[in-house]
Amino acid sequence: MENERCKLPNNTKKMILPNRAASAIYYASNKRDPQTIRIMIVMKDIVDGDMLIHSVKKAMERYPYYHIAVVQNDGKYINIHNSGPIVVKHTDKPANLGSAEVNYHMIAWSYSEKNIYLDASHGLLDGISMLEVLKTVLFFYCSEKYAIKLSPDGITTMENSIEDEEWQEPFTDDLILPNDDIGDSYEAYQLPEVWKGSATRISFLLPQEEFMNYVKKYHGTPGIVITTFFSEVIRRLCAVENLPIVTTMYVNSRPMLDRDKAGGCLVTSVELPLTKEMKKLELGKRTYEYRKMQKEKTSKEQILKKVSRQVREYISNDRIEGLQEKLDKLGKADSVFQVGTFSVSSTGRDPFGSVSQYIREIHNIVIPTTYLIEMNCVNNMFTIDFLQSFASTRYVDEFEKILKEEGIPYIRQKAEIYNTASVIYDQIDKSV
């Protein structure tokens, strides 16, 4: 499809330009690491498909900058406006994003029994922006299904006009700092398990009140407590020797860039090593030390240095001439491999407001390039998803022992093999 064939609605052209993070993700995506995210919402009641379709159609009108297809143009992948409807299917299978089956969109919805699924390219959305879209859809869906007037507090609706920062490129050249040395280069211990070609998810549910009592007792955060526990798991089970156990903690960089409402993908990361001194401490005191380290590394100054490093890399990627050259450099299976031993991503406290009463659980599901722990909270329950590229349960078994030792109640769910959405580019039919 030639770019000039696209008919752009008024004021939409500025909303479809890809940001630098999206471009890097497009070129790096591959079968083993498709760089897609699936969020699964488990509702309390069976999902009404017709109501969900209606709610998605209504809610997505608020997000025109996510109505895109990705095509090749002059040796680059670019976003173009996609006027086709966003697809909602009655299935639990992940979508084939960018294909005809989803009208060439990079976002798709589906449902099965009590579950609602949102599949998206990580180049188009990150976990934070996916939650914003989910909140809007679920607000309309629950309002209709339960015939109730819900409070819109904290939820984006049609009453909220589209602000400039939602679509503007956040990673501008002026974010490059003369000195972005932040000393976060670690030769971290790597788990001995190797990629087996399939991913396993094992989930724990932790009651919010009891878990938060523990978190507050040791002046931590939910993500820091899980970091403390899982680093201890590895210390107990592995011959770590002289290499540090390093947690890669994902950070929402929007507040540090003064772009709280920005869409797209604005995630960076910091590395938190388990030092020799911290190993000598009991878990509660270790949590406190991790928290101090996290505060230092997630200050505005430090995050801007991390972002500066990202922008330098994006600029370097932009300078690669041809499409095939970009794919060769960025499309390797381990292209987004983190330096850490394991990674933690947390969305924090319950974001759904008045809609929470109709939700039972929420799960973020991605293909892990390292051992990945995803954390969410809804309706007074924390969901901890352990995402691993092997079937052995030895790490989660030890994690469960620590929960028992620390007196934290939990529900452990059955392990499952999973996949996320696949993604293709430049397959759009010329008649679209």
Side-chain angles (χ1 to χ4, degrees):
M1 183 176 186
E2 298 176 1
N3 194 30
E4 57 266 26
R5 292 172 63 91
C6 303
K7 302 299 182 182
L8 300 177
N10 291 336
N11 301 320
T12 306
K13 186 173 182 179
K14 65 183 181 181
M15 296 182 180
I16 64 172
L17 299 176
N19 68 36
R20 285 167 162 167
S23 296
I25 288 171
Y26 292 163
Y27 304 126
S29 185
N30 56 78
K31 288 184 178 179
R32 175 173 145 177
D33 178 17
Q35 301 204 20
T36 56
I37 308 177
R38 159 165 275 207
I39 294 187
M40 178 176 73
I41 300 288
V42 184
M43 307 299 290
K44 290 185 176 179
D45 300 312
I46 297 293
V47 176
D48 185 309
D50 290 337
M51 289 184 181
L52 180 61
I53 291 170
H54 179 251
S55 299
V56 168
K57 181 179 180 181
K58 182 178 180 181
M60 291 308 298
E61 291 176 1
R62 174 54 183 73
Y63 301 97
Y65 41 86
Y66 293 142
H67 292 249
I68 65 104
V70 177
V71 300
Q72 182 180 340
N73 181 284
D74 194 25
K76 298 178 181 179
Y77 285 141
I78 64 168
N79 290 351
I80 62 171
H81 179 71
N82 187 346
S83 59
I86 290 177
V87 170
V88 182
K89 286 192 171 184
H90 187 189
T91 180
D92 61 359
K93 294 182 179 179
N96 187 17
L97 299 174
S99 72
E101 71 181 58
V102 295
N103 289 334
Y104 309 103
H105 281 284
M106 289 292 142
I107 186 173
W109 297 80
S110 58
Y111 66 97
S112 177
E113 298 181 346
K114 295 182 179 181
N115 299 337
I116 295 174
Y117 305 94
L118 171 57
D119 292 316
S121 164
H122 208 339
L124 189 61
L125 301 105
D126 59 20
I128 298 296
S129 47
M130 287 179 80
L131 280 176
E132 285 301 309
V133 174
L134 267 167
K135 288 192 296 183
T136 306
V137 169
L138 292 178
F139 176 80
F140 289 126
Y141 173 77
C142 291
S143 297
E144 182 176 353
K145 180 173 176 63
Y146 300 102
I148 188 172
K149 186 175 182 179
L150 295 169
S151 170
D153 290 348
I155 297 173
T156 302
T157 68
M158 304 308 177
E159 303 301 317
N160 303 107
S161 60
I162 299 174
E163 299 186 24
D164 284 349
E165 68 182 70
E166 291 186 54
W167 58 266
Q168 287 177 337
E169 166 62 75
F171 299 111
T172 53
D173 290 1
D174 60 5
L175 290 174
I176 296 180
L177 304 178
N179 177 10
D180 59 9
D181 181 14
I182 49 181
D184 261 358
S185 180
Y186 297 98
E187 187 183 358
Y189 176 78
Q190 301 298 315
L191 300 182
E193 285 79 2
V194 296
W195 182 268
K196 299 296 184 182
S198 62
T200 300
R201 178 173 69 93
I202 306 170
S203 301
F204 285 76
L205 304 180
L206 308 183
Q208 179 177 334
E209 183 176 359
E210 289 89 339
F211 184 49
M212 286 307 300
N213 285 341
Y214 184 94
V215 169
K216 293 174 183 177
K217 179 180 179 180
Y218 295 109
H219 307 285
T221 67
I224 286 296
V225 168
I226 297 303
T227 292
T228 302
F229 288 179
F230 202 73
S231 60
E232 173 64 11
V233 164
I234 296 172
R235 191 194 68 80
R236 292 182 184 184
L237 296 182
C238 301
V240 177
E241 299 175 347
N242 295 323
L243 291 176
I245 299 169
V246 179
T247 306
T248 298
M249 182 162 284
Y250 293 105
V251 179
N252 174 21
S253 56
R254 290 171 177 81
M256 295 75 169
L257 299 178
D258 298 319
R259 294 287 180 85
D260 287 326
K261 297 183 182 299
C265 184
L266 278 84
V267 175
T268 187
S269 63
V270 296
E271 285 69 51
L272 308 177
L274 176 60
T275 65
K276 291 181 180 179
E277 293 74 19
M278 289 168 64
K279 289 178 184 178
K280 302 173 185 177
L281 302 174
E282 61 185 34
L283 293 185
K285 292 181 179 179
R286 202 182 298 174
T287 294
Y288 180 69
E289 292 301 317
Y290 264 128
R291 178 58 172 151
K292 285 201 303 182
M293 189 188 307
Q294 183 201 36
K295 284 183 176 180
E296 292 172 1
K297 295 198 172 190
T298 56
S299 67
K300 184 170 184 176
E301 178 186 10
Q302 293 296 95
I303 292 300
L304 286 178
K305 287 183 177 182
K306 292 284 287 192
V307 170
S308 172
R309 186 181 297 179
Q310 287 177 266
V311 174
R312 289 178 191 272
E313 185 63 27
Y314 296 151
I315 292 174
S316 175
N317 294 340
D318 290 341
R319 289 172 179 163
I320 300 174
E321 288 295 330
L323 177 60
Q324 190 57 52
E325 288 78 4
K326 288 183 171 69
L327 296 175
D328 289 342
K329 179 174 186 283
L330 300 175
K332 296 179 173 58
D334 293 325
S335 58
V336 292
F337 184 78
Q338 301 293 331
V339 298
T341 312
F342 67 99
S343 302
V344 175
S345 177
S346 175
T347 56
R349 302 291 288 273
D350 185 347
F352 288 96
S354 60
V355 177
S356 294
Q357 59 189 302
Y358 304 108
I359 303 173
R360 198 177 77 204
E361 299 167 27
I362 174 173
H363 301 269
N364 281 25
I365 306 170
V366 301
I367 298 296
T369 51
T370 58
Y371 201 105
L372 175 60
I373 304 173
E374 289 276 355
M375 300 181 59
N376 289 279
C377 183
V378 68
N379 197 25
N380 302 312
M381 191 73 71
F382 276 92
T383 307
I384 318 295
D385 289 305
F386 293 87
L387 306 174
Q388 55 187 48
S389 59
F390 49 87
S392 169
T393 63
R394 70 177 186 134
Y395 296 108
V396 290
D397 292 344
E398 193 66 31
F399 176 82
E400 185 175 4
K401 289 181 183 178
I402 292 177
L403 290 178
K404 290 178 179 177
E405 292 167 6
E406 299 300 308
I408 299 173
Y410 65 89
I411 299 170
R412 178 171 171 172
Q413 298 184 327
K414 184 179 178 180
E416 68 169 30
I417 304 298
Y418 72 93
N419 265 312
T420 63
S422 58
V423 62
I424 59 175
Y425 304 110
D426 203 31
Q427 299 294 315
I428 190 166
D429 190 294
K430 291 184 182 296
S431 65
V432 173

